[in-house]
Amino acid sequence: MIVRTLDEITDTDRDVKTPNWRSKRIVLAGDGVGFSVHETVLGAGTVNDFWYANHIEAVFVTEGEGELYDKDNDVTYQLGPGSIYVLSGNERHQLRPRTEMRTVCVFNPPVTGREVHDENGVYPLIRIEPDETAAGAQAEVQKTRVEEAS
């Protein structure tokens, strides 16, 4: 079992910051569950071009409002709390938040946390084996929490 908080991830190597967005990688490939989960906050008024050519991404908006532009099909969608979009066809897309927008993103295959968007907004496909060290460390954290609660 994996239990993590955003506070545990903040300002670690799982907390990736750019001028336009900040992504906290809650679950990564090394956790061995077959997908990754991120909380991503996009800045108001930013324009963000992405293309996940090697991944399927689902994005659930929890706060904020903006637009999703499907560059492959020339369609614009309005987004707000409760909206979800799934890039099931690896669509090239652009996110344009009107307000700060908080999202929860799921990737398949999972990202490792080492990916960097290239000039087209693409993450390379990096495959790794589950990190037994990370699983062991998480078990130790859980054991400590249980002992502290007793």
Side-chain angles (χ1 to χ4, degrees), residues 1-6 8 26-27 138-139 141-142 145:
M1 180 181 297
I2 299 168
V3 178
R4 273 190 196 108
T5 68
L6 290 174
E8 291 172 318
I26 304 162
V27 177
Q138 186 63 31
V141 168
Q142 276 304 110
R145 286 182 182 156

Side-chain angles (χ1 to χ4, degrees), residues 111-131:
V111 299
T112 65
R114 297 190 311 250
E115 293 82 359
V116 176
H117 290 101
D118 70 12
E119 66 279 359
N120 296 309
V122 176
Y123 275 157
L125 182 59
I126 302 172
R127 295 198 185 266
I128 64 170
E129 292 302 313
D131 184 355

Side-chain angles (χ1 to χ4, degrees), residues 53-124:
N54 302 307
H55 300 84
I56 302 297
E57 182 192 29
V59 178
F60 182 72
V61 179
T62 60
E63 294 176 19
E65 295 180 347
E67 293 181 337
L68 167 67
Y69 175 55
D70 177 345
K71 295 166 80 174
D72 289 341
N73 299 298
D74 193 30
V75 179
T76 300
Y77 301 92
Q78 298 305 308
L79 301 175
S83 299
I84 189 168
Y85 63 90
V86 180
L87 301 163
S88 55
N90 305 101
E91 295 85 358
R92 298 168 204 260
H93 60 290
Q94 186 176 79
L95 279 172
R96 302 183 290 234
R98 284 189 294 279
T99 64
E100 181 177 271
M101 199 159 59
R102 185 176 306 274
T103 65
V104 176
C105 311
V106 177
F107 284 86
N108 184 26
V111 299
T112 65
R114 297 190 311 250
E115 293 82 359
V116 176
H117 290 101
D118 70 12
E119 66 279 359
N120 296 309
V122 176
Y123 275 157

